[in-house]
């Protein structure tokens, strides 16, 4: 994947900016926000085997005010829509969103023609930074998603892609 | 006497039309199975069903007006409510409500109670006064089918948003 | 004194550095320690062994948007985290790190410490109240009742110590215990009688965990009940300051325990005393606090209060009486 | 423990617990009317993860709905697979080969252990104990490895087929399962009981909390560990045996204390019973095919069918109505936690907030299963 072309800001502090983005990328605190099946895999990612703590991202904050990244782990439906939007708005900048699983990407298995209740993708509500496909994605996939987000923030990848 | 027979005996007085001996009632019990697609033709009554095939022992077809009485009898027999299911029969212009009851006793006994109401005026009395658990099940059935449970303490949307104006499980509903 | 201008500056810098490093790196210790207990590596990718993790967290927290939600009491909301932080740092002034490392040897330093400790509770109360969030308000009410309940047994045990040492000066109390672990207050003999001060030590340690709102007494920020408690509405460094204040309170609590009961900077075997012994003792105590947190489930509010009012306070009262009796009567 | 205080209804406030709250395990919302920390009135609000499963069932053919079943109760997905397969097999009159039945039992029970482990972890998390979560996940990962090996997925299995299972098990799976049972048995006393079950804080915290009487269970239709913790000896596997469960010797743990601790103990004991079932099934495992011949286009006879299975949370019912077509005409799912949760409001009244959350944790809620 080519490095993304990030538009430069008006005022630049090149070295400082790099430091800031490094700091942010290495301290991504997700919100405790499980929706459905994917949330279980999200919990597994925090478990001893996968240990999301290695990247400093294990601090699951229950309050949106203190979290940096919202992992949308599951299906959003029409009743929940408003709540999820509110949670997103409550997060302070800079904030990122990871759409975990097919439901959060597009509605997944619920994107059918009888669909009367499921929002077809989190990106219909707010911008999404990283998409992790799978139903549900494996914990490794979530780690990869976290690393992709780091790459997006700093422009550098932690480890070479395998 | 097994629970099944007890229940059958307790329910029998509700359906005076079925005064024939039980032997005669047996074949009639099979009838609703074949006639599933046309609920309109069924007659009220109690009938045993083939457990190994259908998964329940007793089937009660009743008028909506008899529901509370049936529920009270089942309550006395220490049954509990498992679920309430709505079924939509648009061709017959009917809505059907299927109640499932079972018991904690060691001997299995499942009772299905079925009743039909016209699609245009779906009004069924509530049994939430008898079984508290029926409360949410009835709300759900109302949510999905628009069946009004008369006398329900709080018949509101349970699964769909409060402002939803449709009943999604009706066969003719398409978003 | 000729060095009068340099002395405060050196101590100011020293204390600030000590506080800052502790506040930042105790978080790392906690995460690593939790990892150890839970059979996983913990932070390890950010810098060697994850040592740069607190730096990254700090940078992130400092550069995050400082959100002041609508409907909060703006001034108090902004001031509360600072109030949480300041008393913890100020407390360090009177703590004797060793025989000759102490910023100020005040006569009533024990009293000053407890006065400052109460301020930390006020910070929680203000923060929770100003947020205007229902969870935060419940949390601050809990914090106040908890701190009130636990300050009493804590002070009562300290009274016993003060009676033994005959001083309210932390330095004097520590000097009084020099010369090996059998002189420490926890194993104190007086007139040939063993004083059972270990009871006081346990009460004091439990109280200091409760005072710092640590698990299993973390009622105020009980995550699964009150979301994030009084910090629910705080973002960025407001939250960061509360966190740092909490860690500093643990440090102060450990320092106090070490000075009052474990002989301060005294070497356990009667050898050369020094600041390293003091640091060793406080970090052992801090590790115990972390260990307790990751082992026990949280208790209940009323059980917590019952524990204090029905068990700890009577015991510490008896402790005071017995100690007085041993000193005066026998 | 409900304290004898007089609740003053004039100074109450409303506290919204959820839909995003760490203790609700998903997106349940509970509207609490509070007086200080006492709950005056509790009303669960459902539907935040309603995903139209019943509508989707009517739209597709019979096999097409199988993947959906796993996405309802993702913690005990195989039991949902099993329940759906059972009802369709009943309707279509399909015989299942014996080996397939055994494999079904083994996998369902393994999955039950995984589900109980996760409940255990999440319950302790509710009570503020974080470390047990990771120990339980450690063991749970082993189960997931085993199941992944034969089903191909970690969480949302689509393993059962009408008339059998998708994949045969091999020696490595059998050896791995035996290993896992040995491992869990050896870890149970030290890691689970010494650390948690016998912990005085936990015992004080959940004993006498959330009293549900047997009569209350019956009125609300509670099943599973919730009912068994209230002294009701009801387990579909025993009361109404399906599959090959009658061939195994296992007990149904029943506790009469009716509190959260009783429900806790029921689940912990059930893990041991599941291990017993798996061991016996592995010993008796017959040879043979794992999939019966089933017509491609399944068209069960018109009629009403019901099947019940015991999931980790209670009795799961499938009410199937067929009209002779290739789609289920109506499929209603009787989800156990829907009924179990419905008694929350009545029991939580007068409780302290923290106790109510401990009680809620002991109900073992899986929200997508409630909302379907």
């Amino acid at each position: 994947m080519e490095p993304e072309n990030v538009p430069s800001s008006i005022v630049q502090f090149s070295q400082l900016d790099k430091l800031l983005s490094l700091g942010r990328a290495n301290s991504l605190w997700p919100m405790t926000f499980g929706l459905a099946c994917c949330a279980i895999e999200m919990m597994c990612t925090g478990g001893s085997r996968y240990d999301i703590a290695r990247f400093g991202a294990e601090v699951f904050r229950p309050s949106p005010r203190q979290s940096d990244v919202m992992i949308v782990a599951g299906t959003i439906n029409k009743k929940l829509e408003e709540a999820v939007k509110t949670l997103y708005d409550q997060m302070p900048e800079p904030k990122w969103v990871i759409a975990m699983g097919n439901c959060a990407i597009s509605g997944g298995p619920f994107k059918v023609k009888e669909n009367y209740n499921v929002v077809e993708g989190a990106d219909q509500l707010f911008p999404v930074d990283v998409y992790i496909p799978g139903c549900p994605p494996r914990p490794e996939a979530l780690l990869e998603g976290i690393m992709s987000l780091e790459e997006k923030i700093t422009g550098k990848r932690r480890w070479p892609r395998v | 006497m097994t629970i099944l027979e007890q229940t059958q005996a307790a329910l029998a007085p509700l359906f005076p039309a079925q005064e024939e001996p039980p032997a005669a009632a047996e074949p009639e019990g099979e009838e609703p199975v074949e006639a599933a697609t046309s609920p309109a033709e069924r007659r009220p009554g109690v009938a045993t069903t083939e457990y190994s095939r259908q998964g329940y022992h007793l089937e009660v077809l009743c008028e909506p007006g008899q529901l509370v009485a049936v529920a009270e009898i089942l309550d006395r027999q220490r049954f509990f409510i498992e679920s309430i299911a709505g079924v939509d029969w648009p061709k017959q212009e009917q809505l059907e409500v299927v109640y499932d009851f079972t018991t904690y006793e060691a001997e299995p006994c499942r009772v299905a109670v079925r009743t039909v109401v016209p699609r245009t005026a779906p009004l069924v009395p509530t049994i939430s006064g008898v079984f508290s658990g029926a409360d949410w099940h009835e709300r759900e059935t109302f949510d999905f089918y628009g069946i009004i449970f008369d006398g329900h303490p709080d018949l509101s949307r349970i699964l769909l948003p409060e402002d939803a104006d449709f009943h999604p499980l009706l066969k003719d509903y398409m978003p | 004194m000729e060095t009068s201008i340099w002395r405060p500056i050196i101590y100011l810098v020293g204390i600030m550095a000590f506080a800052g490093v502790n506040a930042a790196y105790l978080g790392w210790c906690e995460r690593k320690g939790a990892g150890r207990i839970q059979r996983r590596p913990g932070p390890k990718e950010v810098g060697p062994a994850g040592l740069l993790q607190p730096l990254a967290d700090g940078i992130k927290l400092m550069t995050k948007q400082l959100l002041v939600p609508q409907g909060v009491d703006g001034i108090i909301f902004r001031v509360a985290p600072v109030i949480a932080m300041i008393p913890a740092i100020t407390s360090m002034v009177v703590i004797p790190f060793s025989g000759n490392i102490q910023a100020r040897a005040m006569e009533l330093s024990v009293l000053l410490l407890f006065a400052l400790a109460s301020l930390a509770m006020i910070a929680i109360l203000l923060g929770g109240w100003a947020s205007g969030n229902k969870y935060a308000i419940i949390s601050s009410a809990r914090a106040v009742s908890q701190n009130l309940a636990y300050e009493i047994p804590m002070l009562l045990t300290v009274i016993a110590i003060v009676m033994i040492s005959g001083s309210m000066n932390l330095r004097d109390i520590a000097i009084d215990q020099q010369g090996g672990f059998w002189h420490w207050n926890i194993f104190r003999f007086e007139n040939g009688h063993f004083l059972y001060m270990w009871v006081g030590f346990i009460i004091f340690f439990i109280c200091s965990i409760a005072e710092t709102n640590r698990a299993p007494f973390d009622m105020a920020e009980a995550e699964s009940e009150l979301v994030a408690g009084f910090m629910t509405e705080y973002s960025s460094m407001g939250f960061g300051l509360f966190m740092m204040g909490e860690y500093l309170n643990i440090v102060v609590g450990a320092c106090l325990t070490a000075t009052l009961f474990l002989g301060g900077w005294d070497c356990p075997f009667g050898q050369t005393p020094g600041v390293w012994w003091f640091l060793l003792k406080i970090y052992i105590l801090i590790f115990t606090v972390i260990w307790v947190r990751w082992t026990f489930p949280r208790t209940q509010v009323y059980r917590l209060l019952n524990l204090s009012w029905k068990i700890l306070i009577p015991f510490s009262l008896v402790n005071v009486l017995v100690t007085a009796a041993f000193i005066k009567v026998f | 423990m409900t304290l004898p205080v007089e609740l003053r209804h004039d100074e109450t406030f409303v506290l919204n617990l959820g839909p995003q709250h760490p203790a609700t395990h998903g997106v349940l919302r509970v509207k609490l009317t509070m007086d200080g920390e006492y709950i005056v009135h509790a009303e669960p609000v459902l539907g935040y993860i309603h995903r139209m499963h019943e509508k989707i069932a009517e739209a597709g053919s019979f096999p097409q709905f199988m993947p959906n079943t796993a996405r309802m109760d993702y913690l005990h997905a195989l039991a949902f697979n099993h329940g759906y397969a059972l009802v369709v097999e009943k309707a279509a009159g399909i015989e299942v080969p014996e080996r397939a039945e055994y494999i079904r039992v083994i996998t369902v029970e393994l999955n039950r252990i995984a589900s109980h482990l996760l409940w255990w972890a999440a319950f302790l998390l509710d009570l503020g104990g974080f470390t047990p979560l990771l120990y339980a996940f450690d063991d749970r990962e082993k189960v997931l490895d085993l199941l992944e090996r034969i089903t191909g997925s970690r969480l949302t299995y689509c393993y059962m087929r009408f008339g059998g299972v998708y994949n045969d098990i091999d020696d490595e799976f059998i050896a791995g399962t035996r290993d896992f049972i040995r491992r869990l048995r050896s870890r149970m006393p030290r890691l689970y009981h010494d650390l948690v079950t016998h912990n005085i804080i936990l015992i004080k915290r959940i004993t006498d909390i959330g009293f549900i009487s047997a009569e209350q269970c019956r009125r609300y239709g509670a099943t599973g560990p919730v009912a068994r913790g209230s002294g009701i000896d009801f387990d579909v596997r025993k009361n109404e045996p399906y599959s090959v469960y009658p061939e195994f010797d296992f007990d149904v743990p029943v506790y009469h204390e009716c509190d959260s601790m009783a429900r806790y103990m029921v689940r912990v004991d059930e893990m041991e019973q599941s291990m017993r079932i798996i061991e016996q099934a592995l010993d008796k495992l017959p040879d043979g095919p794992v999939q019966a011949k089933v017509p491609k286009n399944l068209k069960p006879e018109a009629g009403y069918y019901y099947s019940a299975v015991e999931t980790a949370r209670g009795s799961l019912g499938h009410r199937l109505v067929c009209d002779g077509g290739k789609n289920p005409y109506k499929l209603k799912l009787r989800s156990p936690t829907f009924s179990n949760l419905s008694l929350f409001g009545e029991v939580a009244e007068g409780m302290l907030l923290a106790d109510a959350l401990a009680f809620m944790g002991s109900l073992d809620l899986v929200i997508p299963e409630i909302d379907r």
Side-chain angles (χ1 to χ4, degrees):
Chain A
M1 194 176 81
E2 290 293 306
E4 255 179 73
N5 208 355
V6 184
S8 55
S9 43
I10 301 163
V11 184
Q12 284 206 337
F13 305 91
S14 94
Q15 295 305 317
L16 184 66
D17 255 0
K18 269 185 199 160
L19 184 70
L20 294 190
S21 53
L22 258 177
R24 284 167 182 164
N26 284 310
S27 160
L28 290 169
W29 292 359
M31 187 176 4
T32 320
F33 182 42
L35 288 169
C37 334
C38 295
I40 304 296
E41 290 298 68
M42 189 164 83
M43 282 165 87
C44 283
T45 319
S48 302
R49 182 185 287 188
Y50 302 100
D51 198 17
I52 199 171
R54 288 177 292 154
F55 309 98
E58 92 276 32
V59 192
F60 279 88
R61 292 304 309 173
S63 164
R65 302 274 188 223
Q66 293 136 25
S67 25
D68 310 300
V69 50
M70 180 186 206
I71 301 177
V72 185
T75 322
I76 302 172
N77 72 12
K78 299 255 165 72
K79 198 166 177 175
L80 190 65
E81 199 179 344
E82 284 305 312
V84 182
K85 261 195 247 168
T86 311
L87 282 174
Y88 178 77
D89 292 339
Q90 281 175 337
M91 285 165 64
E93 294 282 351
K95 54 189 170 188
W96 296 275
V97 176
I98 293 179
M100 183 183 182
N102 293 350
C103 293
I105 294 174
S106 68
F110 306 103
K111 190 177 176 166
V112 287
K113 68 176 192 308
E114 297 82 15
N115 177 2
Y116 59 85
N117 205 29
V118 166
V119 175
E120 296 181 349
D123 46 11
Q124 308 219 339
L125 308 178
F126 37 69
V128 173
D129 294 277
V130 175
Y131 295 88
I132 309 172
C135 190
R138 298 176 56 93
E140 293 96 327
L142 179 57
L143 290 180
E144 169 67 28
I146 296 264
M147 278 195 272
S148 305
L149 186 55
E150 284 172 2
E151 190 183 357
K152 187 169 181 177
I153 297 169
T154 59
K156 275 200 272 318
R157 193 174 161 79
R158 187 189 291 278
W159 285 323
R161 208 177 286 275
V162 271
Chain B
M1 211 154 70
T2 60
I3 299 172
L4 179 63
E5 287 160 357
Q6 277 175 15
T7 316
Q8 220 170 349
L11 286 169
L14 275 181
F15 305 98
Q18 280 210 328
E19 270 165 3
E20 306 104 289
E26 285 286 331
E28 263 189 353
E30 302 290 325
E31 207 179 47
V33 183
E34 274 84 51
T37 43
S38 49
E41 295 160 21
R42 290 167 305 176
R43 260 175 298 154
V46 187
T48 50
T49 49
E50 196 189 334
Y51 173 68
S52 62
R53 179 99 169 76
Q54 287 184 275
Y56 55 104
H57 301 85
L58 206 61
E59 192 168 60
V60 182
L61 308 178
C62 69
E63 298 290 334
Q66 291 170 306
L67 260 175
V68 180
V70 171
E72 273 165 357
I73 290 168
L74 291 174
D75 184 39
R76 273 198 291 283
Q77 298 285 327
R78 323 272 324 137
F79 277 80
F80 68 89
I81 186 149
E82 283 233 286
S83 74
I84 299 177
V87 189
D88 184 18
W89 302 100
K91 273 189 209 124
Q92 288 81 12
E93 281 295 309
Q94 275 177 340
L95 280 167
E96 186 178 13
V97 190
V98 185
Y99 299 74
D100 282 296
F101 296 92
T102 187
T103 165
Y104 288 132
E105 301 303 321
E107 177 207 335
C109 180
R110 288 190 182 278
V111 180
V113 180
R114 290 161 47 190
T115 188
V116 258
V117 283
R119 222 160 171 263
T120 43
L123 196 72
V124 177
T126 178
I127 60 162
S128 60
V130 187
F131 292 97
S132 322
D135 184 331
W136 283 17
H137 290 292
E138 285 178 352
R139 274 175 71 187
E140 186 195 309
T141 315
F142 161 73
D143 204 349
F144 285 165
Y145 289 94
I147 297 170
I148 314 280
F149 288 87
D150 195 20
H152 190 283
D154 170 32
L155 199 62
S156 55
R157 296 272 174 182
I158 184 166
L159 294 180
L160 293 176
E162 286 114 16
D163 56 351
D165 55 354
F166 53 90
H167 299 288
L169 258 67
L170 292 176
K171 288 278 173 192
D172 51 8
Y173 169 77
M174 202 37 133
Chain C
M1 279 189 278
E2 291 98 321
T3 52
S4 57
I5 185 75
W6 291 109
R7 203 185 123 91
I9 291 175
I10 289 169
Y11 271 108
L12 186 68
V13 171
I15 285 173
M16 292 300 268
F18 182 73
V21 168
N22 267 304
Y25 273 87
L26 280 185
W28 175 84
C29 285
E30 171 131 48
R31 285 159 82 173
K32 273 299 210 193
R36 197 75 171 142
I37 290 167
Q38 293 157 358
R39 304 175 176 196
R40 55 191 178 87
K44 69 166 216 189
E45 295 293 338
V46 188
L51 275 170
L52 295 182
Q53 188 65 58
L55 215 65
D57 288 343
I59 291 173
K60 182 209 68 180
L61 280 177
M62 275 187 253
T63 57
K64 231 174 147 56
Q65 180 188 8
L66 186 58
L67 239 164
V68 181
Q70 214 173 21
V72 305
D73 189 326
I75 297 170
I76 299 179
F77 186 81
R78 289 185 179 88
V79 162
V82 183
I83 299 181
M85 188 77 175
I86 285 175
I89 297 180
T90 320
S91 306
M92 302 265 179
V93 170
V94 292
I95 285 168
F97 288 87
S98 89
N100 42 24
I101 306 180
Q102 187 181 17
R104 209 87 181 109
M106 290 168 76
E107 278 311 311
L108 296 176
S109 45
V110 174
L111 268 188
L112 177 74
L113 270 183
F114 279 94
L116 287 171
S118 315
L119 273 181
M121 177 256 281
I122 291 185
I124 292 179
L125 170 68
L126 289 181
W129 178 257
S131 301
N133 180 310
K134 284 169 189 164
Y135 290 111
I137 289 171
I138 295 180
S139 152
S140 53
R142 280 182 177 190
V144 171
S145 59
Q146 175 179 346
N147 282 45
L148 271 181
Y150 278 84
E151 229 150 61
I152 298 165
M154 205 171 184
L155 275 167
L156 285 174
T157 45
V158 172
I159 285 175
I161 299 278
V162 169
M163 282 194 301
I164 296 171
S165 308
S167 167
M168 276 195 154
N169 188 337
L170 281 173
R171 191 181 149 86
D172 293 349
I173 294 174
I175 288 172
D176 196 40
Q177 306 174 55
Q178 295 297 307
F181 69 88
W182 52 92
H183 290 283
W184 295 357
N185 276 338
I186 182 171
F187 306 114
R188 186 80 173 199
F189 281 90
E190 194 73 35
N191 303 337
H193 292 284
F194 188 53
L195 280 184
Y196 297 104
M197 281 312 288
W198 58 269
V199 179
F201 172 73
I202 289 171
I203 294 175
F204 190 86
F205 192 63
I206 292 176
C207 292
S208 69
I209 293 179
E211 281 275 287
T212 45
N213 286 321
R214 290 284 296 187
F217 307 124
D218 55 343
M219 296 294 111
E221 51 164 313
E223 200 178 280
S224 53
E225 296 155 22
L226 301 180
V227 188
F230 57 94
M231 304 190 285
T232 306
E233 294 292 344
Y234 280 94
S235 62
S236 170
M237 221 38 209
F239 163 71
L241 284 178
F242 269 124
M243 285 296 278
M244 285 165 80
E246 183 188 318
Y247 283 121
L248 284 183
N249 280 331
I250 298 170
V251 175
V252 172
C255 287
L256 203 56
T257 318
T259 313
L260 291 178
F261 289 93
L262 302 177
W265 62 87
D266 182 36
C267 167
F269 317 108
Q271 312 289 317
T272 337
V275 65
W276 43 88
W277 288 114
F278 186 77
L279 292 179
L280 183 71
K281 283 169 194 169
I282 66 168
Y283 285 116
I284 288 176
L285 287 171
I286 290 170
F287 176 72
T288 316
V289 173
I290 291 176
W291 184 19
V292 165
R293 154 134 192 217
W294 295 103
T295 307
F296 290 120
R298 185 183 305 121
T299 171
Q300 219 331 344
V301 188
Y302 55 85
R303 286 199 196 290
L304 180 85
L305 298 179
N306 279 354
L307 176 70
S308 172
W309 292 107
K310 291 187 181 162
I311 299 173
L312 293 182
I313 291 182
F315 265 87
S316 48
L317 269 174
V318 170
N319 183 39
V320 170
L321 290 177
V322 169
T323 313
F326 273 122
I327 291 171
K328 285 292 163 196
V329 181
F330 297 109
Chain D
M1 193 173 83
T2 313
L3 294 184
V5 291
E6 216 171 288
L7 299 177
R8 289 165 56 190
H9 292 255
D10 52 336
E11 280 184 20
T12 56
F13 64 97
V14 174
L15 187 71
N16 262 314
L17 207 75
Q20 182 259 354
H21 186 281
T24 52
H25 300 289
V27 282
L28 176 68
R29 169 173 157 219
V30 188
K31 220 160 113 185
L32 297 170
T33 312
M34 310 269 296
D35 176 21
E37 283 210 39
Y38 285 95
I39 293 168
V40 178
H41 182 71
E43 187 198 347
V45 183
L46 317 179
Y48 287 97
I49 192 79
H50 173 56
R51 299 194 280 192
M52 329 165 287
H53 285 293
E54 287 172 16
K55 185 81 179 173
I56 291 174
E58 288 172 19
S61 67
F62 281 93
Q64 277 179 339
F65 186 63
M66 189 56 97
N68 279 62
T69 58
R71 278 154 187 83
M72 268 174 278
D73 183 349
Y74 39 75
L75 294 187
H76 202 182
L78 280 166
F80 271 64
N81 273 193
H82 197 181
Y84 180 59
L86 272 182
V87 75
V88 176
E89 279 157 11
K90 253 179 198 164
I94 299 168
E95 284 287 319
V96 183
E98 212 188 353
R99 187 176 170 86
E101 293 276 25
Y102 272 80
I103 294 174
R104 281 182 178 184
V105 168
I106 293 169
T107 49
V108 165
E109 293 304 317
L110 270 177
N111 205 192
R112 187 187 311 274
I113 293 175
S115 167
H116 280 334
L117 282 173
L118 196 130
W119 164 79
W120 189 79
F123 183 48
L124 263 292
L125 196 60
D126 282 355
L127 302 178
F130 190 76
T131 299
L133 176 106
L134 287 124
Y135 291 163
F137 268 70
D138 235 14
D139 285 330
R140 188 170 168 271
E141 286 288 340
K142 303 268 183 248
V143 184
L144 298 190
D145 279 352
L146 290 169
L147 289 177
E148 187 183 2
R149 193 183 152 67
I150 53 164
T151 65
S153 64
R154 276 169 55 89
L155 195 69
T156 46
Y157 313 105
C158 181
Y159 180 55
M160 311 260 177
R161 295 288 184 271
F162 306 130
V165 293
Y166 156 70
N167 199 358
D168 201 354
I169 60 177
D170 54 8
D171 292 341
E172 208 168 311
F173 172 83
I174 295 171
T177 310
R178 286 190 195 280
D179 265 356
F180 164 73
I181 291 177
R182 216 171 302 130
R183 178 188 150 97
L184 188 59
R185 282 221 174 104
S186 69
R187 276 164 70 102
M188 253 335 195
R190 292 259 302 120
L191 282 185
Y192 291 58
H193 293 311
D194 282 3
L195 179 68
V196 178
T197 314
H198 303 146
N199 185 321
I200 183 75
I201 297 181
L202 179 96
I203 294 174
K204 293 257 179 196
R205 181 77 200 273
I206 62 176
T207 311
D208 293 334
I209 297 294
F211 186 89
I212 307 173
S213 68
E215 180 58 22
Q216 245 170 346
C217 281
R218 193 185 67 81
R219 274 196 292 114
Y220 282 98
T223 48
V226 176
R228 289 197 282 278
S230 296
I232 296 168
D233 186 3
F234 177 76
D235 186 320
V236 183
R237 288 174 296 172
K238 277 271 191 216
N239 287 45
E240 221 188 313
Y242 54 95
S243 197
V244 284
Y245 278 109
E247 310 206 352
F248 306 120
D249 173 33
F250 66 100
D251 302 323
V252 177
V254 176
Y255 282 79
H256 295 268
E257 286 82 4
C258 307
D259 56 4
S260 297
M261 191 69 194
R263 295 188 276 278
Y264 174 96
M265 290 311 293
V266 166
R267 294 201 180 92
V268 172
D269 288 359
E270 257 178 34
M271 281 196 252
E272 173 57 33
Q273 297 305 328
S274 291
M275 285 192 273
R276 275 179 68 192
I277 296 175
I278 296 168
E279 276 183 328
Q280 292 171 42
L282 287 176
D283 288 340
K284 290 190 197 166
L285 188 68
D287 284 333
V290 294
Q291 173 70 51
K293 283 249 174 294
V294 176
K296 248 229 159 93
N297 240 340
L298 216 54
K299 278 187 183 170
E301 248 175 71
Y304 293 73
Y305 306 94
Y306 194 88
S307 87
V309 291
E310 181 79 14
T311 77
R313 274 151 280 280
S315 151
L316 160 75
H318 283 79
R319 162 61 72 186
L320 178 67
V321 181
C322 294
D323 64 345
K326 64 178 182 20
N327 300 358
Y329 188 75
K330 159 79 192 171
L331 181 70
K332 155 88 189 178
L333 289 123
R334 186 263 178 210
S335 68
T337 27
F338 186 83
S339 297
N340 291 358
L341 179 66
S342 64
L343 49 71
F344 178 82
E346 190 174 308
V347 178
E349 225 159 88
M351 273 177 149
L352 280 165
L353 176 65
D355 286 342
L357 291 174
F359 164 55
M360 188 149 82
S362 79
L363 289 178
D364 192 4
L365 304 176
V366 172
I367 314 300
E369 180 212 18
I370 298 174
D371 289 352
R372 286 156 305 184

